[in-house]
Amino acid sequence: MTSPIATASALGLYLYGGAEPGADLFARFARLTESLFARLGIAPTYLGLGGDGYPEGFVRYGGRAHKKALAREFDGVLSVSVAANPVGSDEPTFDSFALASLSYTPSVGELLLSLEVNEAWLPFDGEAYAETMGAYITLAPWSFGFGFADASNRQPGFHILSLDPGDLPPDERTRLLTWYAVAPEVRVRKLRDVYALNLLGAGQLGEATRDGGPLRSLITSMGAGDIQPTAGTSLMSWRVPTTSREAVRRQMAEAGAIAGL
């Protein structure tokens, strides 16, 4: 059996301004996640369902509540989470080595997909990560997204969900709170941060920076990674080398491309 290592791969995809998703989207997400996990040799153990008529918290994968959701074709569901935990675990939100979720928040019109998988199963720079990302991208016309790898104990999925695990360094906590307060109409135009993988929408690439030109031109002029099309989507992929990420972040902040900076 594969053993977890100290790092995890993460993917976040966001959609604002789209139509309210129907039950079919959550059903497709659940089926796709089960299929993708199987390819990675992962067996789902817990399922989370949000919506009227569904139990709060996680339930056993394949159990009564899961079968009910399948029978109802996910009618009334506003969030689905699929977790994989070690044998004998009863803490799906704390010790999972794989967790994928899709949620819709009507108050802000946000559709959010989050994925966190230990790198023992899904190396961030591997082909399987690219294939997994490509599969999830087909679910919706996402506004933007990002991908990265981080220490498992830093809970990278929390970052995607804009949650504070309680032990962030002051600068990271400030950036998280700043992003949390940003309105959706700003999020689709500004960067949250500079990541190893940045999936940029037209609103972000076309946003004017402080030098007067669009973000796309600034990225091109910096020479810090190329902007490439992402198959199956209108998003453009911008990879930033680890060695230059901090310098690029400073330049993006100085250009006014990062929200709140």
Side-chain angles (χ1 to χ4, degrees):
M1 178 180 176
T2 304
S3 298
I5 58 178
T7 56
S9 298
L11 171 69
L13 295 169
Y14 303 77
L15 172 61
Y16 295 99
E20 182 171 340
D24 176 67
L25 177 63
F26 294 99
R28 287 190 291 121
F29 169 79
R31 290 195 300 268
L32 177 58
T33 298
E34 183 174 345
S35 172
L36 292 173
F37 277 17
R39 289 187 208 174
L40 300 174
I42 294 173
T45 52
Y46 288 95
L47 180 73
L49 296 165
D52 292 340
Y54 295 96
E56 293 185 6
F58 280 78
V59 297
R60 287 288 178 181
Y61 200 86
R64 182 180 301 176
H66 188 184
K67 292 176 181 176
K68 175 183 176 181
L70 292 172
R72 294 177 55 176
E73 297 181 338
F74 288 80
D75 182 51
V77 167
L78 291 177
S79 67
V80 176
S81 298
V82 180
N85 295 69
V87 175
S89 166
D90 59 0
E91 295 288 349
T93 58
F94 294 104
D95 61 4
S96 60
F97 57 82
L99 178 61
S101 66
L102 180 70
S103 62
Y104 179 69
T105 305
S107 60
V108 291
E110 177 192 73
L111 182 68
L112 168 57
L113 187 151
S114 172
L115 175 70
E116 178 185 343
V117 182
N118 189 277
E119 282 203 282
W121 284 267
L122 187 66
F124 176 67
D125 288 324
E127 184 177 334
Y129 182 93
E131 292 175 350
T132 301
M133 180 186 74
Y136 278 130
I137 276 179
T138 64
L139 287 174
W142 305 102
S143 302
F144 61 88
F146 50 78
F148 61 98
D150 202 353
S152 299
N153 61 9
R154 281 171 49 84
Q155 298 173 293
F158 273 40
H159 178 82
I160 294 169
L161 299 171
S162 298
L163 299 175
D164 183 356
D167 56 357
L168 291 177
D171 60 330
E172 291 187 31
R173 188 170 189 274
T174 296
R175 289 202 295 267
L176 183 145
L177 293 175
T178 298
W179 179 255
Y180 185 82
V182 169
E185 57 268 24
V186 177
R187 292 188 180 194
V188 298
R189 295 187 292 104
K190 299 285 188 177
L191 303 180
R192 175 176 177 176
D193 206 336
V194 175
Y195 297 91
L197 171 63
N198 306 272
L199 299 168
L200 307 178
Q204 294 169 325
L205 288 168
E207 177 73 358
T209 58
R210 286 175 180 154
D211 66 1
L215 177 62
R216 179 194 290 268
S217 296
L218 175 62
I219 292 173
T220 302
S221 67
M222 290 169 56
D226 296 326
I227 301 176
Q228 301 289 341
T230 304
T233 176
S234 61
L235 298 178
M236 301 295 287
S237 174
W238 175 37
R239 290 187 176 272
V240 180
T242 301
T243 54
S244 58
R245 197 167 308 135
E246 194 56 46
V248 172
R249 178 185 288 120
R250 288 196 300 270
Q251 289 180 273
M252 290 289 124
E254 290 170 0
I258 297 178
L261 298 178

